[in-house]
Amino acid sequence: MREPAQCAAIVGAAEYKPRRFSEEIAESSLEQAADLALLALDDAGLTLADVDGIAVRGVYVSQQFLPATLAEYLGVRIRFGDAPDLGGATAAGMVWRSASAIERELASVVLCIYPGNFPPRRSGEEGWRDFGASSYLPGSPQAQFEIPYGHLGQNVPYALIAQRYAAMHEYDPRAMARLVVHQRRNANLNPDAIFHDKLLTEDDVLASPMIADPLHMLEIVRPVKGGAAVVVAGGDVVARTRHRPAHITGFGEAVAHKSPQWADDMLDPPLRQAAATAFAMADLTPTDMDGAQIYDCYTIAVLMALEAVGFCEKGSGTQFLRSRDFTHAGDFPLNTNGGQLGFGQAGGAGGMTHVVEGYRQVAGRCGPRQVDNCDTMFVSGNGGIMSEQVALILQGGP
Amino acid sequence: MQGAPPVVDEISRPWWDALSRHEVAMQRCSDCASWVFYPRPFCPSCGGRSLTWTPVDAVATLYSWTVARVPVSKAFAHLEEPVLAIAELANGVRLPTVIQDAQPEQLSVGMALKPVFDETAYEGFTLLYFRPAQPEPA
Ligand SMILES: [Zn+2]
């Protein structure tokens, strides 16, 4: 058992209200990173003078040297710099790396920052070689054995996982639609969510176009522009901050593959190991959680995460989706800010929204969507195609 | 540009050469007998570096499938709702592939597949597609 007070904590957060994907952003990603840093520090009641660590991604002014670039820009000298490369698990990965650095006294206040824009696309003759997360560079296995067959992007591989799941276990599109609707109800209580004003029914989800069988359009995140940051702190600093801290008492990470086509078992995501590591560290179990913020780029990702974490038995996820109440006041509060399905996915910062909401729930700062007596929160990150996954357990301070 | 032809490297050239003869060959580890795919200069099961290209019977079963109702990228927009799938060979190796000559309603995970050596997608390359071993009677 790790005493929460002895663990590093998230002590502040900032998150941009999502903007439409088509909107041009005037500021550079470096300016946004600095802005998010100042907002998050202010939220915590700290200043730049307190900062001695930076974890950052989503800054596109250069392809490398990200912590150094941002440290120089902010005018801080740091003792810990990191730029994890974990796709949608990057934000959660930043948090546990920062917590570890703090616990080993390498740093005391680490900014975890992810401006939520998108890398500039190549255009013209070069542009056709851009296949998003799939690499067409020489030497890439994807350039030889996946992309030529049209196996690229996210929709197809997630659909392949869902179809396999459907063949092996109970699968019900309406249960998936119910999950999307519950998350939408959470989004309807969150004025920042991109779908705040839009009500949704299960029939709407099932009537939305099929994108890649069995996945419908409304089971898939909507890309937006945004960005978020959190401040992770430890030691005496925590007592100087403004809000109830969310201590990081458990964490775990696992990476299984790049493309699920090569997974040993497509239905055994690395989150199973990551969550087991996290719960063992915190000496807690899934039933101890007051809620969960689960990376939800696709409904199938949530279904599989619920099983992998141990919130329900393997193969029983559909029954779980059918029977539990995922709204903030329900018996299993899930993705209480709307999740990415309801809030929007701000590029790589999509994973940060789960961290921010997990923190805000434990800190008791969620207003009309606040989970009552929220002392524990499970947060997951998911990069690639359920390739690289991170689990965090947050616990409130006294 | 239509599609994206394979970016072949030396280590995998025997795979492509075999396909061009309408055969399938894969690396097998001389130390632990594991099949190795995609091609590598070593065996990920045991770390051994002694691999032998070995003929493989390309009869397979359908591990999973989907239909790309929306093009996977601009380069593939010329394809009309392709059936994209994973085929599992008898030796356990799984291959990302395309299913031909089948309506989605005919597909079920676990069904038997036969190889299709496709020379239409990219000039100078043969790709390994599959189709149902027993098509529904017309
Ligand atoms: Zn071997």
Side-chain angles (χ1 to χ4, degrees):
Chain A
M1 172 83 185
R2 303 207 318 152
E3 277 302 321
Q6 291 179 354
C7 302
I10 302 175
V11 296
E15 184 168 49
Y16 288 144
K17 185 178 165 76
R19 290 188 274 183
R20 282 149 61 118
F21 185 73
S22 55
E23 223 175 285
E24 290 295 328
I25 306 295
E27 313 86 62
S28 76
S29 52
L30 183 58
E31 290 169 350
Q32 285 193 322
D35 182 50
L36 287 165
L38 294 173
L39 291 170
L41 285 168
D42 189 51
D43 185 66
L46 300 172
T47 69
L48 278 176
D50 296 303
V51 173
D52 56 4
I54 289 175
V56 60
R57 288 284 299 208
V59 169
Y60 301 112
V61 300
S62 86
Q63 300 207 332
Q64 50 183 339
F65 306 121
L66 297 188
T69 299
L70 184 57
E72 176 192 290
Y73 195 67
L74 289 171
V76 297
R77 185 178 176 118
I78 55 175
R79 298 191 291 145
F80 169 74
D82 203 3
D85 177 7
L86 294 165
T90 297
M94 285 176 178
V95 168
W96 82 252
R97 283 164 173 76
S98 301
S100 290
I102 289 167
E103 289 174 19
R104 296 301 299 263
E105 300 183 344
L106 285 162
S108 58
V109 175
V110 183
L111 291 166
C112 299
I113 303 177
Y114 211 136
N117 296 311
F118 293 80
R121 304 284 288 188
R122 291 183 290 183
S123 58
E125 286 189 4
E126 286 289 298
W128 77 269
R129 287 198 191 90
D130 272 334
F131 295 114
S134 300
S135 167
Y136 195 56
L137 295 173
S140 158
Q142 301 147 52
Q144 199 167 181
F145 299 104
E146 298 173 29
I147 295 171
Y149 291 86
H151 282 246
L152 59 97
Q154 287 80 38
N155 293 331
V156 162
Y158 273 102
L160 290 170
I161 293 171
Q163 198 72 259
R164 177 78 188 170
Y165 185 98
M168 306 303 287
H169 304 294
E170 185 189 8
Y171 184 92
D172 179 1
R174 187 163 288 278
M176 296 295 219
R178 184 176 184 271
L179 169 70
V180 180
V181 168
H182 281 213
Q183 289 197 196
R184 180 63 64 88
R185 285 188 202 148
N186 289 334
N188 294 146
L189 288 176
N190 179 1
D192 283 352
I194 197 89
F195 290 125
H196 171 247
D197 297 324
K198 293 206 172 76
L199 301 175
L200 189 72
T201 67
E202 291 174 14
D203 287 340
D204 293 335
V205 178
L206 296 175
S208 67
M210 191 67 85
I211 300 297
D213 309 42
L215 301 175
H216 302 81
M217 189 178 77
L218 291 176
E219 297 181 75
I220 304 173
V221 282
R222 172 76 55 94
V224 297
K225 287 181 179 166
V230 295
V231 182
V232 181
D236 301 338
V237 179
V238 176
R240 289 199 278 122
T241 59
R242 206 171 264 164
H243 305 285
R244 185 193 197 201
H247 294 279
I248 305 147
T249 56
F251 47 80
E253 178 172 306
V255 180
H257 47 74
K258 164 66 182 69
S259 304
Q261 285 88 340
W262 312 111
D264 289 339
D265 178 355
M266 230 185 198
L267 302 184
D268 180 23
L271 185 60
R272 179 176 58 78
Q273 294 160 286
T277 304
F279 281 115
M281 189 185 297
D283 195 22
L284 293 171
T285 69
T287 54
D288 294 320
M289 298 294 103
D290 293 327
Q293 312 296 333
I294 290 180
Y295 196 97
D296 61 334
C297 46
Y298 293 79
T299 48
I300 182 65
V302 179
L303 172 73
M304 301 230 350
L306 289 167
E307 296 181 4
V309 174
F311 288 121
C312 58
E313 294 282 313
K314 184 165 181 171
S316 71
T318 294
Q319 192 49 43
F320 194 83
L321 291 185
R322 223 180 249 143
S323 58
R324 304 299 291 262
D325 182 340
F326 302 108
T327 62
H328 80 284
D331 61 358
F332 193 92
L334 173 68
N335 293 339
T336 44
N337 66 343
Q340 296 184 68
L341 288 166
F343 182 82
Q345 178 177 55
M352 193 59 97
T353 205
H354 300 285
V355 173
V356 169
E357 179 70 3
Y359 158 68
R360 286 179 175 159
Q361 285 289 352
V362 169
R365 303 177 62 192
C366 287
R369 63 174 194 277
Q370 178 64 45
V371 174
D372 286 344
N373 304 313
C374 183
D375 287 320
T376 56
M377 191 59 72
F378 177 85
V379 177
S380 77
N382 168 26
I385 316 294
M386 296 200 266
S387 314
E388 35 197 6
Q389 299 186 309
V390 171
L392 302 176
I393 292 164
L394 305 181
Q395 283 184 264
Chain B
M1 171 61 73
Q2 289 198 335
V7 183
V8 175
D9 53 34
E10 282 312 304
I11 197 75
S12 60
R13 194 162 298 283
W15 162 263
W16 296 106
D17 288 347
L19 287 184
S20 71
R21 299 188 304 267
H22 292 199
E23 295 166 7
V24 178
M26 285 183 179
Q27 292 170 300
R28 191 164 203 188
C29 177
S30 307
D31 295 320
C32 76
S34 295
W35 292 95
V36 176
F37 194 82
Y38 40 77
R40 295 169 173 86
F42 65 96
C43 165
S45 294
C46 76
R49 293 173 187 270
S50 175
L51 305 175
T52 308
W53 284 94
T54 309
V56 172
D57 185 4
V59 170
T61 56
L62 185 59
Y63 185 79
S64 192
W65 61 275
T66 187
V67 182
R69 307 280 179 185
V70 175
V72 294
S73 90
K74 275 183 196 158
F76 288 84
H78 61 290
L79 298 177
E80 183 86 12
E81 302 201 342
V83 179
L84 303 177
I86 300 170
E88 186 171 61
L89 300 177
N91 68 6
V93 168
R94 290 187 212 124
L95 303 165
T97 190
V98 174
I99 302 293
Q100 292 206 316
D101 305 327
Q103 294 302 310
E105 305 78 55
Q106 295 169 252
L107 298 176
S108 61
V109 166
M111 76 189 299
L113 302 173
K114 280 164 53 169
V116 175
F117 296 93
D118 178 85
E119 278 151 357
T120 66
Y122 306 108
E123 200 177 328
F125 291 99
T126 305
L127 266 61
L128 182 54
Y129 292 175
F130 287 87
R131 66 176 178 81
Q134 292 172 313
E136 298 279 311

mmCIF file of all heavy atoms in Angstrom, chain B residues 14 25-31 33-36 40 42-43 48-56:
data_model
loop_
_atom_site.group_PDB
_atom_site.id
_atom_site.type_symbol
_atom_site.label_atom_id
_atom_site.label_comp_id
_atom_site.label_asym_id
_atom_site.label_seq_id
_atom_site.Cartn_x
_atom_site.Cartn_y
_atom_site.Cartn_z
ATOM 1 N N PRO B 14 12.900 -12.769 -51.139
ATOM 2 C CA PRO B 14 12.413 -14.129 -51.460
ATOM 3 C C PRO B 14 10.888 -14.279 -51.306
ATOM 4 O O PRO B 14 10.277 -15.075 -52.022
ATOM 5 C CB PRO B 14 13.167 -15.016 -50.456
ATOM 6 C CG PRO B 14 14.428 -14.249 -50.163
ATOM 7 C CD PRO B 14 14.005 -12.799 -50.157
ATOM 8 N N ALA B 25 6.414 -18.664 -49.694
ATOM 9 C CA ALA B 25 7.555 -19.158 -48.919
ATOM 10 C C ALA B 25 7.783 -18.215 -47.750
ATOM 11 O O ALA B 25 7.616 -17.004 -47.871
ATOM 12 C CB ALA B 25 8.803 -19.230 -49.792
ATOM 13 N N MET B 26 8.136 -18.818 -46.634
ATOM 14 C CA MET B 26 8.389 -18.037 -45.423
ATOM 15 C C MET B 26 9.672 -18.511 -44.768
ATOM 16 O O MET B 26 10.095 -19.647 -44.957
ATOM 17 C CB MET B 26 7.257 -18.247 -44.412
ATOM 18 C CG MET B 26 6.005 -17.530 -44.773
ATOM 19 S SD MET B 26 4.781 -17.771 -43.505
ATOM 20 C CE MET B 26 3.506 -16.789 -44.254
ATOM 21 N N GLN B 27 10.205 -17.635 -43.928
ATOM 22 C CA GLN B 27 11.384 -18.010 -43.172
ATOM 23 C C GLN B 27 11.001 -18.929 -42.018
ATOM 24 O O GLN B 27 9.972 -18.743 -41.376
ATOM 25 C CB GLN B 27 12.056 -16.762 -42.588
ATOM 26 C CG GLN B 27 12.675 -15.848 -43.615
ATOM 27 C CD GLN B 27 13.093 -14.555 -42.959
ATOM 28 O OE1 GLN B 27 12.258 -13.847 -42.398
ATOM 29 N NE2 GLN B 27 14.367 -14.237 -43.025
ATOM 30 N N ARG B 28 11.853 -19.914 -41.784
ATOM 31 C CA ARG B 28 11.675 -20.771 -40.609
ATOM 32 C C ARG B 28 12.993 -20.838 -39.863
ATOM 33 O O ARG B 28 14.066 -20.919 -40.461
ATOM 34 C CB ARG B 28 11.247 -22.179 -41.047
ATOM 35 C CG ARG B 28 10.802 -23.005 -39.872
ATOM 36 C CD ARG B 28 10.015 -24.221 -40.306
ATOM 37 N NE ARG B 28 9.187 -24.661 -39.212
ATOM 38 C CZ ARG B 28 8.488 -25.780 -39.216
ATOM 39 N NH1 ARG B 28 8.488 -26.554 -40.273
ATOM 40 N NH2 ARG B 28 7.770 -26.133 -38.168
ATOM 41 N N CYS B 29 12.897 -20.782 -38.542
ATOM 42 C CA CYS B 29 14.096 -20.749 -37.705
ATOM 43 C C CYS B 29 14.725 -22.136 -37.630
ATOM 44 O O CYS B 29 14.053 -23.120 -37.317
ATOM 45 C CB CYS B 29 13.738 -20.265 -36.304
ATOM 46 S SG CYS B 29 15.140 -20.266 -35.185
ATOM 47 N N SER B 30 16.019 -22.225 -37.924
ATOM 48 C CA SER B 30 16.717 -23.510 -37.870
ATOM 49 C C SER B 30 16.939 -23.960 -36.430
ATOM 50 O O SER B 30 17.175 -25.136 -36.176
ATOM 51 C CB SER B 30 18.076 -23.405 -38.568
ATOM 52 O OG SER B 30 17.905 -22.882 -39.859
ATOM 53 N N ASP B 31 16.872 -23.041 -35.501
ATOM 54 C CA ASP B 31 17.146 -23.380 -34.100
ATOM 55 C C ASP B 31 15.903 -23.841 -33.358
ATOM 56 O O ASP B 31 15.940 -24.821 -32.623
ATOM 57 C CB ASP B 31 17.756 -22.174 -33.379
ATOM 58 C CG ASP B 31 19.116 -21.821 -33.952
ATOM 59 O OD1 ASP B 31 19.879 -22.758 -34.255
ATOM 60 O OD2 ASP B 31 19.399 -20.621 -34.131
ATOM 61 N N ALA B 33 12.553 -23.832 -34.894
ATOM 62 C CA ALA B 33 11.506 -24.265 -35.831
ATOM 63 C C ALA B 33 10.323 -23.298 -35.922
ATOM 64 O O ALA B 33 9.320 -23.605 -36.557
ATOM 65 C CB ALA B 33 11.013 -25.678 -35.513
ATOM 66 N N SER B 34 10.430 -22.121 -35.290
ATOM 67 C CA SER B 34 9.345 -21.146 -35.410
ATOM 68 C C SER B 34 9.273 -20.604 -36.831
ATOM 69 O O SER B 34 10.298 -20.439 -37.497
ATOM 70 C CB SER B 34 9.596 -19.953 -34.474
ATOM 71 O OG SER B 34 9.546 -20.355 -33.143
ATOM 72 N N TRP B 35 8.059 -20.318 -37.265
ATOM 73 C CA TRP B 35 7.886 -19.582 -38.503
ATOM 74 C C TRP B 35 8.071 -18.099 -38.218
ATOM 75 O O TRP B 35 7.625 -17.611 -37.173
ATOM 76 C CB TRP B 35 6.495 -19.828 -39.079
ATOM 77 C CG TRP B 35 6.328 -21.237 -39.555
ATOM 78 C CD1 TRP B 35 5.784 -22.276 -38.850
ATOM 79 C CD2 TRP B 35 6.732 -21.757 -40.824
ATOM 80 N NE1 TRP B 35 5.821 -23.424 -39.605
ATOM 81 C CE2 TRP B 35 6.395 -23.139 -40.828
ATOM 82 C CE3 TRP B 35 7.353 -21.216 -41.944
ATOM 83 C CZ2 TRP B 35 6.645 -23.969 -41.921
ATOM 84 C CZ3 TRP B 35 7.593 -22.042 -43.036
ATOM 85 C CH2 TRP B 35 7.249 -23.399 -43.015
ATOM 86 N N VAL B 36 8.716 -17.405 -39.112
ATOM 87 C CA VAL B 36 9.011 -15.991 -38.916
ATOM 88 C C VAL B 36 8.331 -15.194 -40.014
ATOM 89 O O VAL B 36 8.616 -15.379 -41.201
ATOM 90 C CB VAL B 36 10.537 -15.737 -38.937
ATOM 91 C CG1 VAL B 36 10.830 -14.246 -38.840
ATOM 92 C CG2 VAL B 36 11.225 -16.499 -37.815
ATOM 93 N N ARG B 40 12.605 -11.190 -41.385
ATOM 94 C CA ARG B 40 13.587 -10.510 -40.534
ATOM 95 C C ARG B 40 14.931 -11.223 -40.679
ATOM 96 O O ARG B 40 14.970 -12.369 -41.127
ATOM 97 C CB ARG B 40 13.166 -10.576 -39.059
ATOM 98 C CG ARG B 40 11.888 -9.828 -38.689
ATOM 99 C CD ARG B 40 11.503 -10.235 -37.275
ATOM 100 N NE ARG B 40 10.389 -9.488 -36.694
ATOM 101 C CZ ARG B 40 9.108 -9.792 -36.849
ATOM 102 N NH1 ARG B 40 8.759 -10.808 -37.590
ATOM 103 N NH2 ARG B 40 8.157 -9.085 -36.240
ATOM 104 N N PHE B 42 16.497 -12.323 -38.198
ATOM 105 C CA PHE B 42 16.639 -13.124 -36.973
ATOM 106 C C PHE B 42 15.268 -13.690 -36.606
ATOM 107 O O PHE B 42 14.250 -13.290 -37.171
ATOM 108 C CB PHE B 42 17.156 -12.260 -35.815
ATOM 109 C CG PHE B 42 16.162 -11.195 -35.430
ATOM 110 C CD1 PHE B 42 15.278 -11.399 -34.381
ATOM 111 C CD2 PHE B 42 16.065 -10.025 -36.157
ATOM 112 C CE1 PHE B 42 14.324 -10.436 -34.066
ATOM 113 C CE2 PHE B 42 15.109 -9.065 -35.848
ATOM 114 C CZ PHE B 42 14.245 -9.281 -34.800
ATOM 115 N N CYS B 43 15.263 -14.590 -35.627
ATOM 116 C CA CYS B 43 14.012 -15.200 -35.165
ATOM 117 C C CYS B 43 13.556 -14.511 -33.883
ATOM 118 O O CYS B 43 14.264 -14.557 -32.874
ATOM 119 C CB CYS B 43 14.239 -16.681 -34.892
ATOM 120 S SG CYS B 43 12.926 -17.461 -33.930
ATOM 121 N N GLY B 48 17.660 -16.554 -32.706
ATOM 122 C CA GLY B 48 18.561 -17.217 -33.651
ATOM 123 C C GLY B 48 18.659 -16.466 -34.973
ATOM 124 O O GLY B 48 17.711 -15.802 -35.390
ATOM 125 N N ARG B 49 19.787 -16.577 -35.610
ATOM 126 C CA ARG B 49 20.003 -15.856 -36.874
ATOM 127 C C ARG B 49 20.031 -16.784 -38.076
ATOM 128 O O ARG B 49 20.320 -16.355 -39.178
ATOM 129 C CB ARG B 49 21.318 -15.078 -36.801
ATOM 130 C CG ARG B 49 21.293 -13.933 -35.802
ATOM 131 C CD ARG B 49 22.680 -13.329 -35.664
ATOM 132 N NE ARG B 49 22.724 -12.333 -34.605
ATOM 133 C CZ ARG B 49 22.471 -11.041 -34.798
ATOM 134 N NH1 ARG B 49 22.135 -10.600 -35.984
ATOM 135 N NH2 ARG B 49 22.542 -10.184 -33.791
ATOM 136 N N SER B 50 19.742 -18.057 -37.852
ATOM 137 C CA SER B 50 19.780 -19.015 -38.945
ATOM 138 C C SER B 50 18.351 -19.323 -39.393
ATOM 139 O O SER B 50 17.624 -20.072 -38.744
ATOM 140 C CB SER B 50 20.497 -20.289 -38.464
ATOM 141 O OG SER B 50 20.424 -21.257 -39.484
ATOM 142 N N LEU B 51 17.963 -18.713 -40.507
ATOM 143 C CA LEU B 51 16.597 -18.866 -41.004
ATOM 144 C C LEU B 51 16.647 -19.452 -42.404
ATOM 145 O O LEU B 51 17.529 -19.122 -43.192
ATOM 146 C CB LEU B 51 15.878 -17.515 -41.031
ATOM 147 C CG LEU B 51 15.834 -16.740 -39.710
ATOM 148 C CD1 LEU B 51 15.198 -15.374 -39.929
ATOM 149 C CD2 LEU B 51 15.054 -17.501 -38.660
ATOM 150 N N THR B 52 15.664 -20.280 -42.702
ATOM 151 C CA THR B 52 15.620 -20.924 -44.014
ATOM 152 C C THR B 52 14.283 -20.636 -44.683
ATOM 153 O O THR B 52 13.231 -20.862 -44.089
ATOM 154 C CB THR B 52 15.767 -22.458 -43.857
ATOM 155 O OG1 THR B 52 16.928 -22.712 -43.076
ATOM 156 C CG2 THR B 52 15.892 -23.126 -45.214
ATOM 157 N N TRP B 53 14.357 -20.143 -45.920
ATOM 158 C CA TRP B 53 13.117 -19.932 -46.676
ATOM 159 C C TRP B 53 12.509 -21.285 -47.007
ATOM 160 O O TRP B 53 13.178 -22.145 -47.578
ATOM 161 C CB TRP B 53 13.391 -19.111 -47.932
ATOM 162 C CG TRP B 53 13.598 -17.663 -47.599
ATOM 163 C CD1 TRP B 53 14.792 -17.043 -47.371
ATOM 164 C CD2 TRP B 53 12.569 -16.682 -47.438
ATOM 165 N NE1 TRP B 53 14.571 -15.718 -47.064
ATOM 166 C CE2 TRP B 53 13.214 -15.460 -47.105
ATOM 167 C CE3 TRP B 53 11.178 -16.693 -47.532
ATOM 168 C CZ2 TRP B 53 12.513 -14.279 -46.867
ATOM 169 C CZ3 TRP B 53 10.470 -15.524 -47.297
ATOM 170 C CH2 TRP B 53 11.143 -14.337 -46.965
ATOM 171 N N THR B 54 11.232 -21.446 -46.648
ATOM 172 C CA THR B 54 10.587 -22.754 -46.711
ATOM 173 C C THR B 54 9.218 -22.607 -47.379
ATOM 174 O O THR B 54 8.469 -21.693 -47.028
ATOM 175 C CB THR B 54 10.396 -23.302 -45.270
ATOM 176 O OG1 THR B 54 11.647 -23.210 -44.587
ATOM 177 C CG2 THR B 54 9.902 -24.736 -45.271
ATOM 178 N N PRO B 55 8.889 -23.487 -48.324
ATOM 179 C CA PRO B 55 7.564 -23.385 -48.952
ATOM 180 C C PRO B 55 6.442 -23.594 -47.934
ATOM 181 O O PRO B 55 6.580 -24.381 -46.995
ATOM 182 C CB PRO B 55 7.562 -24.523 -49.989
ATOM 183 C CG PRO B 55 8.990 -24.909 -50.144
ATOM 184 C CD PRO B 55 9.685 -24.586 -48.864
ATOM 185 N N VAL B 56 5.346 -22.884 -48.159
ATOM 186 C CA VAL B 56 4.201 -22.945 -47.240
ATOM 187 C C VAL B 56 2.939 -23.164 -48.067
ATOM 188 O O VAL B 56 2.770 -22.555 -49.129
ATOM 189 C CB VAL B 56 4.071 -21.619 -46.454
ATOM 190 C CG1 VAL B 56 2.784 -21.588 -45.638
ATOM 191 C CG2 VAL B 56 5.267 -21.408 -45.552
#
